[in-house]
Amino acid sequence: QLTNNTNSYIYYNYSIFCLKQSSSCNDKILASNYLNKSRDTFKKALDLHKLDGLLTNFTEVNYIYSCILIEFQQYTQAEEILISLQQSYQSISLLDQLDNFDGYDSEDMIHKINDPMYYCILASFFSLINKPLHARKAMLLVTRAYKESNSKPDISTHGKPKRTLVYCLALTSQFFYQHNFIQLLNQSIKLMNLSEDAINNKCKVRNIATSTITFIKYQMKKALCLHAISNKLLVQLFNYPSDDKLDSLVDDKLDHDRLNQAIEFATDCIYTATNKEEQIDAYILLAKVQTIQQLDSSIIIDSYLSAISISNQSNESLLTYINIEVYIQLSKLLLVTNRYEEGYNILLIV
C-alpha cells in the first residue's frame, strides 16, 4: 500500500516505525533490514516533501536521516545534508567557515540555525570521521546557539564556569540512543566527558571551586547509563566498528563491570533528579539496566513499583509520566513470580 502513496508524512511515520523496530529486534539480519527500510523511506519522505510540504519538522527529519546515513558510513551524503541545512538559510557555506575559522572567536561565524543540537550532531560527526578541529569549532557554536535561541533552562543557571556544552551533549547523546545511532553516541559521550574534564582541570589550575549543577549532572548520568547499555545491546548486533573500549566487551568480566557501572549511573540519576518526572524516569531506567543484567525479578519489580508509587502521588492520569509498556512489563514480572493479584491490579490500570 505504501508504494502507491505520495504523502511525505506517511513515509516519515513509517520510517520512524522501522527505526524503532530495529532497536527491538534480537535478530541481526531483521534489525539491519528495518534500518535499511528506515533509510530508504526517509529519503522518499524528503523527496515527497518538496512536492507537498507536509513535514513541518523538516529540520529534525534531516537530522535523523543524516544520522542514519552516518550509521551506514555514508559520510559524504550525510555531510552534504547537514551542511545544506545551513546553506538553505545563507549563501556562505558553514563548512567553508569551519575550514577558515581560527577556532577561538565564534562571534565571527555566520550561522542561522539556532539549535544547539545541530552543532552537537556536527561535532559528533566530525569527531567520528577524525576531523577534531572541525569538531572543536562546531562545539564552540553550541553555547552561542543555546543562548540566541533562548533555550530553557536559562543559560544563567548552568553554573560557573557554564556547562552549557556538557548539558547539550548529554541531551544529544540521549537523542542518539533513542534512535540507535551508536557510532554518534560513542562520539558525543566522548566529547561530553572531555568537555567536563576540561572545565574541571581549568578550575583546578586556577584554584577555583566548581561543581556540576544538579540538573546537568542528572542528564550526564542518564546519558552515560544509556551509553553503557547501548554498547551491551547494540554494538555486536549491528557489527559497528568499535574503539578500544568497546573491544573489551568480548571479555565477560569487563562486560559485567560495564553493566555494574550502568547500575551506578542509573542510581545516581535517582539521587540527582530535580522533579517527579525525572525521578520516575530514573527508576524505570534502573529497572531496564537490572533487566539487562538479569538480576532477580523481585529487584526489578521493586524499581518499577517505586516509579509507579511516585506517579501515584500526582492527581494526573497514571499514564502521564509512565508509558503503558512499563505497566505491561511489570505485570508480566508479577505474574511469572506468582504475584497474581498484584499483576492483575496493574493490568486493570492499563
Side-chain angles (χ1 to χ4, degrees):
Q1 299 295 329
L2 191 64
T3 54
N4 298 322
N5 202 296
T6 58
N7 186 309
S8 62
Y9 193 68
I10 291 177
Y11 271 92
Y12 165 71
N13 283 328
Y14 181 66
S15 60
I16 291 293
F17 166 78
C18 290
L19 198 57
K20 290 181 178 178
Q21 289 298 109
S22 71
S23 67
S24 61
C25 292
N26 293 321
D27 182 271
K28 181 172 66 176
I29 296 176
L30 186 58
S32 181
N33 287 340
Y34 272 120
L35 206 57
N36 269 297
K37 286 182 181 178
S38 182
R39 175 184 56 176
D40 295 342
T41 49
F42 256 110
K43 176 66 167 62
K44 183 69 174 178
L46 288 169
D47 289 341
L48 289 173
H49 174 74
K50 297 175 183 177
L51 302 175
D52 61 28
L54 292 177
L55 298 179
T56 55
N57 56 338
F58 179 71
T59 301
E60 182 184 351
V61 173
N62 275 280
Y63 287 175
I64 298 174
Y65 181 49
S66 61
C67 290
I68 291 175
L69 293 175
I70 291 168
E71 292 301 307
F72 278 100
Q73 300 178 44
Q74 295 177 243
Y75 299 142
T76 302
Q77 290 173 261
E79 184 173 303
E80 288 174 355
I81 291 171
L82 288 170
I83 299 304
S84 69
L85 288 174
Q86 279 281 2
Q87 288 178 301
S88 64
Y89 292 100
Q90 61 194 47
S91 59
I92 304 174
S93 166
L94 177 65
L95 190 58
D96 290 339
Q97 293 185 74
L98 288 173
D99 285 332
N100 299 324
F101 178 43
D102 63 16
Y104 290 95
D105 189 3
S106 64
E107 295 300 323
D108 291 337
M109 294 287 287
I110 301 173
H111 75 297
K112 294 295 181 182
I113 298 182
N114 285 332
D115 181 1
M117 181 179 287
Y118 172 76
Y119 300 101
C120 288
I121 293 173
L122 270 182
S124 302
F125 170 58
F126 287 134
S127 177
L128 176 64
I129 61 175
N130 201 26
K131 289 186 176 180
L133 186 58
H134 281 69
R136 181 173 177 271
K137 292 171 179 178
M139 285 192 291
L140 287 172
L141 291 171
V142 172
T143 301
R144 180 178 167 189
Y146 191 97
K147 183 178 181 180
E148 293 183 0
S149 62
N150 295 316
S151 297
K152 302 298 180 182
D154 190 80
I155 198 169
S156 63
T157 66
H158 293 186
K160 292 184 180 181
K162 290 182 173 59
R163 283 175 164 82
T164 307
L165 175 59
V166 174
Y167 177 60
C168 292
L169 284 168
L171 294 179
T172 304
S173 296
Q174 295 170 36
F175 168 81
F176 289 150
Y177 172 84
Q178 178 187 356
H179 297 291
N180 304 323
F181 301 142
I182 306 305
Q183 294 187 83
L184 288 166
L185 173 58
N186 290 331
Q187 297 303 317
S188 61
I189 289 291
K190 180 179 76 173
L191 295 175
M192 181 188 77
N193 286 333
L194 288 173
S195 300
E196 176 69 9
D197 290 344
I199 292 172
N200 290 331
N201 290 335
K202 185 184 293 185
C203 290
K204 186 177 181 180
V205 169
R206 297 180 180 179
N207 198 26
I208 301 173
T210 182
S211 62
T212 308
I213 301 299
T214 304
F215 77 87
I216 296 179
K217 186 178 292 185
Y218 170 84
Q219 299 298 347
M220 285 182 64
K221 297 295 184 180
K222 182 178 178 180
L224 289 167
C225 180
L226 294 174
H227 179 238
I229 61 177
S230 72
N231 287 332
K232 166 65 179 174
L233 291 173
L234 300 171
V235 169
Q236 294 174 337
L237 181 63
F238 291 106
N239 287 329
Y240 287 135
S242 59
D243 55 29
D244 293 337
K245 291 183 179 178
L246 297 186
D247 288 338
S248 67
L249 288 173
V250 298
D251 186 316
D252 289 341
K253 182 181 182 303
L254 290 176
D255 191 16
H256 180 72
D257 291 344
R258 181 180 288 275
L259 286 178
N260 282 338
Q261 196 173 41
I263 291 283
E264 292 179 12
F265 290 142
T267 304
D268 288 342
C269 285
I270 294 172
Y271 295 119
T272 57
T274 58
N275 54 52
K276 181 182 297 185
E277 186 175 357
E278 288 181 353
Q279 280 184 306
I280 293 170
D281 191 46
Y283 274 111
I284 293 173
L285 179 59
L286 179 60
K288 185 173 186 175
V289 180
Q290 291 167 338
T291 301
I292 296 169
Q293 202 172 21
Q294 298 180 331
L295 297 185
D296 187 83
S297 296
S298 62
I299 297 175
I300 303 170
I301 289 171
D302 285 345
S303 295
Y304 278 132
L305 289 176
S306 295
I308 291 175
S309 175
I310 296 170
S311 178
N312 287 342
Q313 297 170 13
S314 169
N315 294 325
E316 299 176 80
S317 166
L318 291 175
L319 296 178
T320 300
Y321 296 110
I322 301 179
N323 192 292
I324 189 172
E325 294 176 0
V326 171
Y327 289 104
I328 293 173
Q329 180 63 24
L330 174 57
S331 65
K332 287 180 180 178
L333 287 169
L334 290 167
L335 293 173
V336 299
T337 52
N338 300 323
R339 295 165 66 171
Y340 300 119
E341 185 175 351
E342 291 176 90
Y344 177 70
N345 290 333
I346 292 295
L347 287 174
L348 288 180
I349 294 174
V350 178

